[in-house]
């Protein structure tokens, strides 16, 4: 396969950091804010941010259903933090009525939003990550955790007794922000899934 073209959903979050990490991992990259941009990419990264706001913006920009359809057709995706929430099949504590986080149903997991607590409860730590040599330094900011893992979902990492990294086929999700650390191994793992 030629160099994969990976889009980064550019509604909120560390868009530039993900673009840089993916570029360093060997991908061609671009931002995705419109349907035409979504249609041009081979895979998508959904960064952190606020999952209810991102869901609202996906609806407003008429991207929600096209994105859900691309994922259902097998487009690979990686979600960090809010991205993990959106890729889930079920979201607990999804938000206030009319402003809920909307699951894209790409990975068979149930996630709990803000499970580790509020902004002041954010933390960092080293965690073992299945498939990588040595631990990864994980930055958790109002992070979710996985409460249920469906069949076919591989647990890649845990923190404080909770699942915080998963893979299902060519879908990858972490509750933390690897783009903030300079460690490109998780982005490289995702790019390698595309070949």
């Amino acid at each position: 396969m030629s160099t994969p073209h990976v889009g980064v959903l550019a509604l909120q979050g560390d868009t530039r950091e993900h673009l840089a990490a993916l570029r360093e991992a060997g991908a061609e990259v671009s931002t995705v804010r419109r349907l035409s941009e979504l249609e041009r990419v081979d895979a998508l990264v959904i960064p952190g941010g606020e999952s209810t706001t991102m869901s609202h913006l996906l609806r407003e920009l008429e991207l929600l259903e096209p994105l859900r359809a691309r994922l259902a057709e097998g487009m690979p995706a990686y979600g960090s933090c809010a991205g993990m929430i959106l890729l889930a099949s079920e979201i607990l504590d999804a938000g206030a009525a009319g402003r809920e986080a909307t699951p894209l149903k790409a990975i068979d997991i149930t996630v709990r939003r803000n499970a580790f607590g509020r902004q002041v409860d954010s933390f960092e730590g080293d965690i073992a990550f299945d498939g990588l040599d040595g631990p990864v330094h994980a930055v958790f900011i109002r992070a979710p955790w996985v409460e249920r893992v469906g069949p076919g979902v591989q647990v890649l990492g845990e923190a404080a007794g909770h699942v915080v990294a998963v893979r299902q086929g060519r879908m990858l999700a972490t509750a933390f922000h690897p783009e903030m650390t300079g460690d490109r191994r998780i982005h490289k793992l995702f790019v390698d899934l595309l070949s």
Side-chain angles (χ1 to χ4, degrees):
M1 180 181 175
S2 60
T3 303
H5 183 178
V6 181
V8 176
L9 189 64
L11 305 179
Q12 276 193 322
D14 291 335
T15 303
R16 282 181 304 171
E17 291 83 350
H18 277 292
L19 290 169
L22 289 162
R23 209 174 281 116
E24 289 176 37
E28 177 187 336
V29 297
S30 63
T31 57
V32 172
R33 291 185 195 89
R34 296 176 184 83
L35 180 57
S36 60
E37 295 165 339
L38 177 63
E39 290 170 342
R40 286 196 299 265
V41 300
D42 302 314
L44 186 70
V45 169
I46 305 175
E50 210 292 310
S51 56
T52 59
T53 299
M54 291 171 78
S55 294
H56 173 73
L57 291 170
L58 284 169
R59 283 190 292 274
E60 287 292 309
L61 297 169
E62 298 181 356
L63 279 174
L64 182 65
E65 292 310 320
L67 175 54
R68 196 178 267 158
R70 285 285 316 269
L71 293 168
E73 292 164 3
M75 179 182 70
Y78 165 51
S80 64
C81 199
M84 171 187 257
I85 294 167
L86 294 179
L87 288 175
S89 56
E90 182 183 19
I91 303 168
L92 303 177
D93 300 326
R99 291 288 291 184
E100 299 98 341
T102 305
L104 294 169
K105 302 184 184 231
I107 302 176
D108 187 12
I109 55 175
T110 301
V111 296
R112 181 172 299 280
R113 289 176 66 241
N114 304 326
F116 283 105
R118 298 162 36 124
Q119 191 81 18
V120 297
D121 301 310
S122 299
F123 66 98
E124 299 180 27
D126 292 341
I127 64 167
F129 196 98
D130 191 36
L132 297 181
D133 293 333
V136 296
H137 189 72
V139 178
F140 294 88
I141 303 171
R142 290 177 50 217
W145 66 47
V146 177
E147 294 217 347
R148 181 195 59 84
V149 175
V153 177
Q154 178 186 5
V155 173
L156 300 176
E158 297 184 18
H162 299 283
V163 174
V164 295
V166 295
R167 174 183 171 191
Q168 183 174 13
R170 296 193 310 163
M171 302 288 177
L172 186 66
T174 61
F176 53 89
H177 295 267
E179 76 282 1
M180 297 178 72
T181 67
D183 183 341
R184 303 308 190 212
R185 291 177 297 161
I186 291 174
H187 289 84
K188 179 76 170 110
L189 176 66
F190 180 60
V191 171
D192 288 348
L193 292 177
L194 309 180
S195 56

